Amino acid sequence: QVQLVESGGGLVQAGGSLRLSCATSGGTFSDYAMGWFRQAPGKERELVAAIPWRGGYTYYADSVKGRFTISRDNAKNTVYLQMDSLKPEDTAVYYCAASRALGIVVVTAAYNYWGQGTQVTVSS
């Protein structure tokens, strides 16, 4: 059973930056594709960024492309989401997730394990 714990959320002004971390345990981290999702009040959970097990190429939602960067350190069993130029519409609970599927995983149902989430609030 894989456990995921997010950290790094908080309150930031528009235009600011945050770096989210997701530490994993209980499995072989490098076996999993990883993703960052977010869910704002009253909205569905959406995929923000994804990265395959060996890193390299990445996926971003159009709304965050050019502002967010996903990366992973397999030696530290951790995936990161660097968020720059934050906007009020980025306010949400951010979740990391792990998938046993190969490649970049963009289907929510393909993710097998989820963290508890971390709140990101961007003030205008």
Short mmCIF file of all heavy atoms in Angstrom, two decimals, residues 41-98:
data_model
loop_
_atom_site.label_atom_id
_atom_site.label_comp_id
_atom_site.label_asym_id
_atom_site.label_seq_id
_atom_site.Cartn_x
_atom_site.Cartn_y
_atom_site.Cartn_z
N PRO A 41 -13.82 24.53 -4.67
CA PRO A 41 -15.19 24.34 -4.15
C PRO A 41 -16.21 24.37 -5.27
O PRO A 41 -16.20 25.27 -6.12
CB PRO A 41 -15.37 25.53 -3.21
CG PRO A 41 -13.99 25.87 -2.76
CD PRO A 41 -13.13 25.61 -3.96
N GLY A 42 -17.07 23.37 -5.29
CA GLY A 42 -18.13 23.30 -6.29
C GLY A 42 -17.68 22.84 -7.65
O GLY A 42 -18.49 22.82 -8.59
N LYS A 43 -16.43 22.46 -7.79
CA LYS A 43 -15.91 22.03 -9.09
C LYS A 43 -15.39 20.60 -9.01
O LYS A 43 -15.09 20.08 -7.94
CB LYS A 43 -14.80 22.97 -9.57
CG LYS A 43 -15.28 24.38 -9.86
CD LYS A 43 -14.18 25.19 -10.51
CE LYS A 43 -14.67 26.58 -10.88
NZ LYS A 43 -13.61 27.39 -11.53
N GLU A 44 -15.27 19.98 -10.17
CA GLU A 44 -14.74 18.63 -10.23
C GLU A 44 -13.21 18.66 -10.05
O GLU A 44 -12.56 19.65 -10.35
CB GLU A 44 -15.09 17.98 -11.56
CG GLU A 44 -16.57 17.69 -11.73
CD GLU A 44 -16.86 16.89 -12.98
OE1 GLU A 44 -15.91 16.63 -13.75
OE2 GLU A 44 -18.03 16.53 -13.19
N ARG A 45 -12.69 17.54 -9.60
CA ARG A 45 -11.26 17.40 -9.50
C ARG A 45 -10.66 17.37 -10.90
O ARG A 45 -11.17 16.67 -11.79
CB ARG A 45 -10.90 16.13 -8.74
CG ARG A 45 -9.45 15.99 -8.39
CD ARG A 45 -9.22 14.82 -7.47
NE ARG A 45 -9.93 14.99 -6.19
CZ ARG A 45 -9.74 14.19 -5.14
NH1 ARG A 45 -8.89 13.18 -5.22
NH2 ARG A 45 -10.41 14.39 -4.03
N GLU A 46 -9.59 18.12 -11.11
CA GLU A 46 -8.98 18.18 -12.43
C GLU A 46 -7.49 17.89 -12.35
O GLU A 46 -6.82 18.24 -11.38
CB GLU A 46 -9.19 19.56 -13.07
CG GLU A 46 -8.56 20.71 -12.33
CD GLU A 46 -8.60 22.02 -13.11
OE1 GLU A 46 -8.83 22.00 -14.33
OE2 GLU A 46 -8.38 23.07 -12.48
N LEU A 47 -6.99 17.27 -13.40
CA LEU A 47 -5.57 16.99 -13.50
C LEU A 47 -4.84 18.28 -13.85
O LEU A 47 -5.19 18.95 -14.81
CB LEU A 47 -5.31 15.93 -14.55
CG LEU A 47 -3.84 15.59 -14.82
CD1 LEU A 47 -3.20 14.96 -13.59
CD2 LEU A 47 -3.74 14.65 -16.02
N VAL A 48 -3.82 18.59 -13.09
CA VAL A 48 -3.02 19.79 -13.32
C VAL A 48 -1.74 19.45 -14.07
O VAL A 48 -1.36 20.13 -15.02
CB VAL A 48 -2.69 20.46 -11.97
CG1 VAL A 48 -1.72 21.61 -12.16
CG2 VAL A 48 -3.96 20.93 -11.28
N ALA A 49 -1.06 18.40 -13.63
CA ALA A 49 0.22 18.03 -14.23
C ALA A 49 0.49 16.56 -13.98
O ALA A 49 0.01 15.99 -12.99
CB ALA A 49 1.36 18.87 -13.65
N ALA A 50 1.25 15.94 -14.87
CA ALA A 50 1.56 14.52 -14.74
C ALA A 50 2.96 14.25 -15.25
O ALA A 50 3.47 14.97 -16.13
CB ALA A 50 0.54 13.67 -15.49
N ILE A 51 3.57 13.20 -14.70
CA ILE A 51 4.93 12.84 -15.08
C ILE A 51 5.06 11.33 -15.02
O ILE A 51 4.55 10.69 -14.09
CB ILE A 51 5.95 13.55 -14.14
CG1 ILE A 51 7.38 13.40 -14.64
CG2 ILE A 51 5.79 13.07 -12.71
CD1 ILE A 51 8.35 14.34 -13.93
N PRO A 52 5.71 10.69 -15.98
CA PRO A 52 5.86 9.23 -15.95
C PRO A 52 6.92 8.80 -14.96
O PRO A 52 7.57 9.64 -14.33
CB PRO A 52 6.28 8.90 -17.39
CG PRO A 52 6.96 10.13 -17.87
CD PRO A 52 6.26 11.28 -17.20
N TRP A 53 7.10 7.50 -14.81
CA TRP A 53 7.96 7.00 -13.75
C TRP A 53 9.40 7.45 -13.87
O TRP A 53 10.08 7.65 -12.87
CB TRP A 53 7.89 5.47 -13.69
CG TRP A 53 8.52 4.78 -14.85
CD1 TRP A 53 7.92 4.44 -16.03
CD2 TRP A 53 9.88 4.34 -14.96
NE1 TRP A 53 8.82 3.84 -16.86
CE2 TRP A 53 10.03 3.75 -16.24
CE3 TRP A 53 10.98 4.39 -14.10
CZ2 TRP A 53 11.23 3.21 -16.67
CZ3 TRP A 53 12.17 3.85 -14.53
CH2 TRP A 53 12.29 3.27 -15.81
N ARG A 54 9.90 7.60 -15.10
CA ARG A 54 11.30 7.97 -15.24
C ARG A 54 11.48 9.47 -15.47
O ARG A 54 12.59 9.91 -15.73
CB ARG A 54 11.95 7.19 -16.38
CG ARG A 54 11.47 7.56 -17.77
CD ARG A 54 12.43 6.98 -18.83
NE ARG A 54 12.45 5.54 -18.83
CZ ARG A 54 13.29 4.82 -19.56
NH1 ARG A 54 14.17 5.43 -20.33
NH2 ARG A 54 13.26 3.51 -19.52
N GLY A 55 10.40 10.23 -15.33
CA GLY A 55 10.53 11.66 -15.55
C GLY A 55 10.65 11.98 -17.02
O GLY A 55 10.16 11.26 -17.87
N GLY A 56 11.30 13.10 -17.32
CA GLY A 56 11.46 13.48 -18.72
C GLY A 56 10.27 14.28 -19.20
O GLY A 56 10.05 15.39 -18.77
N TYR A 57 9.49 13.71 -20.10
CA TYR A 57 8.37 14.46 -20.65
C TYR A 57 7.25 14.60 -19.61
O TYR A 57 7.16 13.79 -18.67
CB TYR A 57 7.85 13.81 -21.93
CG TYR A 57 7.49 12.36 -21.82
CD1 TYR A 57 6.16 11.96 -21.71
CD2 TYR A 57 8.46 11.36 -21.85
CE1 TYR A 57 5.82 10.62 -21.63
CE2 TYR A 57 8.12 10.02 -21.77
CZ TYR A 57 6.81 9.66 -21.67
OH TYR A 57 6.47 8.33 -21.58
N THR A 58 6.45 15.62 -19.78
CA THR A 58 5.43 15.96 -18.79
C THR A 58 4.16 16.41 -19.48
O THR A 58 4.15 16.72 -20.68
CB THR A 58 5.93 17.08 -17.88
OG1 THR A 58 6.40 18.17 -18.69
CG2 THR A 58 7.06 16.63 -16.97
N TYR A 59 3.09 16.44 -18.69
CA TYR A 59 1.78 16.94 -19.18
C TYR A 59 1.34 18.07 -18.26
O TYR A 59 1.52 17.98 -17.03
CB TYR A 59 0.75 15.82 -19.14
CG TYR A 59 -0.68 16.35 -19.24
CD1 TYR A 59 -1.27 16.57 -20.47
CD2 TYR A 59 -1.40 16.66 -18.09
CE1 TYR A 59 -2.55 17.08 -20.55
CE2 TYR A 59 -2.69 17.17 -18.16
CZ TYR A 59 -3.25 17.38 -19.39
OH TYR A 59 -4.52 17.89 -19.47
N TYR A 60 0.73 19.10 -18.87
CA TYR A 60 0.15 20.19 -18.09
C TYR A 60 -1.22 20.55 -18.64
O TYR A 60 -1.42 20.56 -19.86
CB TYR A 60 1.04 21.43 -18.12
CG TYR A 60 2.39 21.23 -17.51
CD1 TYR A 60 3.49 20.93 -18.29
CD2 TYR A 60 2.56 21.31 -16.13
CE1 TYR A 60 4.74 20.71 -17.71
CE2 TYR A 60 3.80 21.10 -15.54
CZ TYR A 60 4.88 20.80 -16.35
OH TYR A 60 6.11 20.59 -15.78
N ALA A 61 -2.11 20.89 -17.74
CA ALA A 61 -3.38 21.46 -18.17
C ALA A 61 -3.11 22.82 -18.80
O ALA A 61 -2.17 23.52 -18.40
CB ALA A 61 -4.31 21.60 -16.97
N ASP A 62 -3.93 23.19 -19.76
CA ASP A 62 -3.73 24.47 -20.44
C ASP A 62 -3.73 25.64 -19.46
O ASP A 62 -3.01 26.62 -19.67
CB ASP A 62 -4.82 24.67 -21.49
CG ASP A 62 -4.64 23.77 -22.70
OD1 ASP A 62 -3.52 23.23 -22.89
OD2 ASP A 62 -5.60 23.60 -23.46
N SER A 63 -4.52 25.53 -18.43
CA SER A 63 -4.67 26.64 -17.48
C SER A 63 -3.41 26.92 -16.67
O SER A 63 -3.27 28.00 -16.09
CB SER A 63 -5.84 26.36 -16.52
OG SER A 63 -5.63 25.14 -15.83
N VAL A 64 -2.48 25.97 -16.63
CA VAL A 64 -1.27 26.15 -15.83
C VAL A 64 0.00 26.08 -16.66
O VAL A 64 1.10 26.31 -16.13
CB VAL A 64 -1.19 25.11 -14.68
CG1 VAL A 64 -2.46 25.14 -13.85
CG2 VAL A 64 -0.90 23.72 -15.21
N LYS A 65 -0.14 25.80 -17.93
CA LYS A 65 1.03 25.65 -18.79
C LYS A 65 1.86 26.94 -18.80
O LYS A 65 1.33 28.03 -18.94
CB LYS A 65 0.57 25.31 -20.21
CG LYS A 65 1.57 24.58 -21.06
CD LYS A 65 0.93 24.08 -22.34
CE LYS A 65 -0.06 22.97 -22.09
NZ LYS A 65 -0.63 22.42 -23.34
N GLY A 66 3.16 26.78 -18.62
CA GLY A 66 4.06 27.93 -18.57
C GLY A 66 4.22 28.54 -17.19
O GLY A 66 5.09 29.38 -16.98
N ARG A 67 3.37 28.11 -16.24
CA ARG A 67 3.45 28.66 -14.87
C ARG A 67 3.81 27.59 -13.85
O ARG A 67 4.45 27.89 -12.85
CB ARG A 67 2.11 29.29 -14.48
CG ARG A 67 1.68 30.43 -15.38
CD ARG A 67 0.43 31.12 -14.82
NE ARG A 67 -0.72 30.24 -14.76
CZ ARG A 67 -1.38 29.96 -13.63
NH1 ARG A 67 -0.97 30.48 -12.47
NH2 ARG A 67 -2.44 29.14 -13.64
N PHE A 68 3.38 26.36 -14.07
CA PHE A 68 3.63 25.25 -13.14
C PHE A 68 4.65 24.30 -13.74
O PHE A 68 4.71 24.10 -14.95
CB PHE A 68 2.35 24.48 -12.87
CG PHE A 68 1.32 25.21 -12.03
CD1 PHE A 68 1.41 26.57 -11.76
CD2 PHE A 68 0.23 24.51 -11.53
CE1 PHE A 68 0.46 27.22 -11.01
CE2 PHE A 68 -0.74 25.16 -10.77
CZ PHE A 68 -0.62 26.52 -10.52
N THR A 69 5.43 23.68 -12.85
CA THR A 69 6.41 22.69 -13.28
C THR A 69 6.36 21.49 -12.36
O THR A 69 6.50 21.63 -11.14
CB THR A 69 7.83 23.27 -13.26
OG1 THR A 69 7.89 24.44 -14.08
CG2 THR A 69 8.84 22.25 -13.79
N ILE A 70 6.14 20.32 -12.94
CA ILE A 70 6.16 19.09 -12.17
C ILE A 70 7.53 18.43 -12.33
O ILE A 70 8.13 18.47 -13.41
CB ILE A 70 5.03 18.13 -12.62
CG1 ILE A 70 4.95 16.91 -11.69
CG2 ILE A 70 5.20 17.70 -14.07
CD1 ILE A 70 3.73 16.02 -11.96
N SER A 71 8.02 17.85 -11.25
CA SER A 71 9.29 17.13 -11.30
C SER A 71 9.26 16.03 -10.25
O SER A 71 8.40 16.02 -9.37
CB SER A 71 10.47 18.08 -11.06
OG SER A 71 10.39 18.66 -9.76
N ARG A 72 10.19 15.12 -10.37
CA ARG A 72 10.26 14.04 -9.39
C ARG A 72 11.70 13.70 -9.09
O ARG A 72 12.57 13.85 -9.95
CB ARG A 72 9.50 12.81 -9.89
CG ARG A 72 10.08 12.15 -11.11
CD ARG A 72 9.14 11.05 -11.63
NE ARG A 72 9.02 9.96 -10.67
CZ ARG A 72 8.02 9.07 -10.68
NH1 ARG A 72 7.06 9.16 -11.59
NH2 ARG A 72 7.98 8.10 -9.79
N ASP A 73 11.93 13.25 -7.87
CA ASP A 73 13.24 12.78 -7.44
C ASP A 73 13.04 11.36 -6.95
O ASP A 73 12.57 11.14 -5.81
CB ASP A 73 13.79 13.70 -6.35
CG ASP A 73 15.21 13.37 -5.95
OD1 ASP A 73 15.63 12.20 -6.16
OD2 ASP A 73 15.90 14.24 -5.42
N ASN A 74 13.36 10.40 -7.77
CA ASN A 74 13.13 9.00 -7.40
C ASN A 74 14.01 8.57 -6.24
O ASN A 74 13.65 7.64 -5.50
CB ASN A 74 13.34 8.10 -8.61
CG ASN A 74 12.19 8.21 -9.62
OD1 ASN A 74 11.17 8.84 -9.34
ND2 ASN A 74 12.39 7.63 -10.79
N ALA A 75 15.14 9.22 -6.04
CA ALA A 75 16.01 8.89 -4.90
C ALA A 75 15.37 9.33 -3.58
O ALA A 75 15.64 8.74 -2.53
CB ALA A 75 17.37 9.52 -5.08
N LYS A 76 14.54 10.35 -3.64
CA LYS A 76 13.90 10.87 -2.43
C LYS A 76 12.44 10.46 -2.34
O LYS A 76 11.73 10.88 -1.42
CB LYS A 76 14.01 12.40 -2.39
CG LYS A 76 15.43 12.91 -2.27
CD LYS A 76 15.47 14.43 -2.17
CE LYS A 76 16.90 14.92 -1.98
NZ LYS A 76 16.96 16.42 -1.90
N ASN A 77 11.97 9.67 -3.31
CA ASN A 77 10.57 9.22 -3.30
C ASN A 77 9.59 10.39 -3.22
O ASN A 77 8.57 10.32 -2.52
CB ASN A 77 10.31 8.25 -2.14
CG ASN A 77 11.12 6.98 -2.24
OD1 ASN A 77 11.53 6.58 -3.33
ND2 ASN A 77 11.36 6.35 -1.11
N THR A 78 9.89 11.43 -3.94
CA THR A 78 9.11 12.66 -3.83
C THR A 78 8.83 13.25 -5.21
O THR A 78 9.69 13.23 -6.09
CB THR A 78 9.86 13.69 -2.97
OG1 THR A 78 10.11 13.13 -1.67
CG2 THR A 78 9.05 14.97 -2.80
N VAL A 79 7.62 13.78 -5.34
CA VAL A 79 7.25 14.51 -6.54
C VAL A 79 6.93 15.94 -6.12
O VAL A 79 6.42 16.17 -5.02
CB VAL A 79 6.06 13.85 -7.26
CG1 VAL A 79 4.81 13.81 -6.40
CG2 VAL A 79 5.79 14.52 -8.60
N TYR A 80 7.24 16.89 -6.99
CA TYR A 80 7.09 18.30 -6.68
C TYR A 80 6.18 18.98 -7.70
O TYR A 80 6.06 18.53 -8.84
CB TYR A 80 8.46 19.00 -6.69
CG TYR A 80 9.48 18.38 -5.79
CD1 TYR A 80 10.40 17.46 -6.29
CD2 TYR A 80 9.54 18.71 -4.44
CE1 TYR A 80 11.34 16.87 -5.46
CE2 TYR A 80 10.49 18.13 -3.60
CZ TYR A 80 11.39 17.21 -4.12
OH TYR A 80 12.32 16.64 -3.29
N LEU A 81 5.60 20.08 -7.26
CA LEU A 81 4.87 20.96 -8.18
C LEU A 81 5.28 22.39 -7.84
O LEU A 81 4.89 22.92 -6.79
CB LEU A 81 3.36 20.79 -8.05
CG LEU A 81 2.55 21.58 -9.08
CD1 LEU A 81 2.77 21.02 -10.49
CD2 LEU A 81 1.06 21.58 -8.74
N GLN A 82 6.11 22.96 -8.71
CA GLN A 82 6.50 24.36 -8.56
C GLN A 82 5.42 25.20 -9.24
O GLN A 82 5.15 25.02 -10.43
CB GLN A 82 7.86 24.60 -9.21
CG GLN A 82 8.31 26.05 -9.17
CD GLN A 82 8.60 26.55 -7.79
OE1 GLN A 82 9.18 25.83 -6.97
NE2 GLN A 82 8.20 27.78 -7.49
N MET A 83 4.85 26.12 -8.48
CA MET A 83 3.76 26.96 -8.99
C MET A 83 4.20 28.41 -8.95
O MET A 83 4.44 28.96 -7.86
CB MET A 83 2.50 26.74 -8.15
CG MET A 83 2.06 25.30 -8.06
SD MET A 83 0.49 25.08 -7.23
CE MET A 83 0.89 25.65 -5.58
N ASP A 84 4.32 29.01 -10.10
CA ASP A 84 4.72 30.41 -10.22
C ASP A 84 3.59 31.23 -10.83
O ASP A 84 2.66 30.69 -11.42
CB ASP A 84 5.99 30.51 -11.09
CG ASP A 84 7.16 29.78 -10.50
OD1 ASP A 84 7.38 29.89 -9.28
OD2 ASP A 84 7.87 29.10 -11.27
N SER A 85 3.71 32.55 -10.69
CA SER A 85 2.71 33.46 -11.25
C SER A 85 1.30 33.03 -10.87
O SER A 85 0.41 32.95 -11.72
CB SER A 85 2.85 33.54 -12.77
OG SER A 85 4.15 33.96 -13.14
N LEU A 86 1.11 32.75 -9.62
CA LEU A 86 -0.17 32.22 -9.16
C LEU A 86 -1.29 33.23 -9.33
O LEU A 86 -1.09 34.46 -9.20
CB LEU A 86 -0.07 31.79 -7.70
CG LEU A 86 0.63 30.43 -7.50
CD1 LEU A 86 1.11 30.28 -6.08
CD2 LEU A 86 -0.30 29.29 -7.89
N LYS A 87 -2.47 32.71 -9.61
CA LYS A 87 -3.66 33.52 -9.83
C LYS A 87 -4.73 33.11 -8.82
O LYS A 87 -4.72 31.97 -8.33
CB LYS A 87 -4.19 33.29 -11.24
CG LYS A 87 -3.19 33.56 -12.35
CD LYS A 87 -3.78 33.19 -13.70
CE LYS A 87 -2.79 33.42 -14.83
NZ LYS A 87 -3.35 33.07 -16.16
N PRO A 88 -5.68 34.00 -8.53
CA PRO A 88 -6.76 33.62 -7.61
C PRO A 88 -7.51 32.36 -8.06
O PRO A 88 -7.94 31.58 -7.21
CB PRO A 88 -7.65 34.85 -7.62
CG PRO A 88 -6.72 35.99 -7.90
CD PRO A 88 -5.72 35.43 -8.87
N GLU A 89 -7.61 32.16 -9.35
CA GLU A 89 -8.31 30.96 -9.84
C GLU A 89 -7.53 29.67 -9.63
O GLU A 89 -8.04 28.59 -9.90
CB GLU A 89 -8.68 31.12 -11.33
CG GLU A 89 -7.53 31.52 -12.22
CD GLU A 89 -7.50 33.02 -12.48
OE1 GLU A 89 -7.69 33.80 -11.51
OE2 GLU A 89 -7.27 33.41 -13.64
N ASP A 90 -6.30 29.77 -9.15
CA ASP A 90 -5.54 28.57 -8.79
C ASP A 90 -5.91 28.08 -7.38
O ASP A 90 -5.44 27.02 -6.95
CB ASP A 90 -4.04 28.85 -8.83
CG ASP A 90 -3.53 29.14 -10.23
OD1 ASP A 90 -3.97 28.45 -11.18
OD2 ASP A 90 -2.70 30.06 -10.39
N THR A 91 -6.72 28.84 -6.67
CA THR A 91 -7.13 28.45 -5.33
C THR A 91 -7.89 27.14 -5.37
O THR A 91 -8.87 26.99 -6.11
CB THR A 91 -8.01 29.54 -4.70
OG1 THR A 91 -7.23 30.72 -4.53
CG2 THR A 91 -8.55 29.09 -3.36
N ALA A 92 -7.42 26.16 -4.58
CA ALA A 92 -8.01 24.83 -4.57
C ALA A 92 -7.28 23.98 -3.55
O ALA A 92 -6.24 24.38 -3.03
CB ALA A 92 -7.91 24.18 -5.95
N VAL A 93 -7.82 22.81 -3.31
CA VAL A 93 -7.08 21.77 -2.60
C VAL A 93 -6.31 20.98 -3.66
O VAL A 93 -6.90 20.54 -4.66
CB VAL A 93 -8.01 20.84 -1.80
CG1 VAL A 93 -7.20 19.73 -1.13
CG2 VAL A 93 -8.79 21.64 -0.76
N TYR A 94 -5.02 20.83 -3.44
CA TYR A 94 -4.16 20.13 -4.39
C TYR A 94 -3.83 18.75 -3.84
O TYR A 94 -3.46 18.60 -2.67
CB TYR A 94 -2.88 20.93 -4.63
CG TYR A 94 -3.10 22.11 -5.54
CD1 TYR A 94 -3.81 23.23 -5.12
CD2 TYR A 94 -2.62 22.11 -6.85
CE1 TYR A 94 -4.03 24.31 -5.96
CE2 TYR A 94 -2.84 23.17 -7.70
CZ TYR A 94 -3.55 24.27 -7.24
OH TYR A 94 -3.77 25.34 -8.09
N TYR A 95 -3.96 17.76 -4.72
CA TYR A 95 -3.72 16.37 -4.36
C TYR A 95 -2.64 15.78 -5.26
O TYR A 95 -2.62 16.05 -6.46
CB TYR A 95 -4.98 15.53 -4.57
CG TYR A 95 -6.18 15.96 -3.78
CD1 TYR A 95 -7.06 16.91 -4.27
CD2 TYR A 95 -6.46 15.39 -2.53
CE1 TYR A 95 -8.18 17.31 -3.55
CE2 TYR A 95 -7.57 15.77 -1.80
CZ TYR A 95 -8.42 16.73 -2.32
OH TYR A 95 -9.53 17.12 -1.60
N CYS A 96 -1.79 14.96 -4.69
CA CYS A 96 -0.92 14.15 -5.54
C CYS A 96 -1.48 12.74 -5.60
O CYS A 96 -2.22 12.30 -4.70
CB CYS A 96 0.52 14.15 -5.06
SG CYS A 96 0.83 13.27 -3.53
N ALA A 97 -1.16 12.05 -6.66
CA ALA A 97 -1.68 10.71 -6.88
C ALA A 97 -0.65 9.87 -7.62
O ALA A 97 0.19 10.40 -8.35
CB ALA A 97 -2.98 10.77 -7.69
N ALA A 98 -0.73 8.57 -7.41
CA ALA A 98 0.20 7.62 -8.02
C ALA A 98 -0.57 6.60 -8.85
O ALA A 98 -1.64 6.13 -8.44
CB ALA A 98 1.01 6.92 -6.94
#
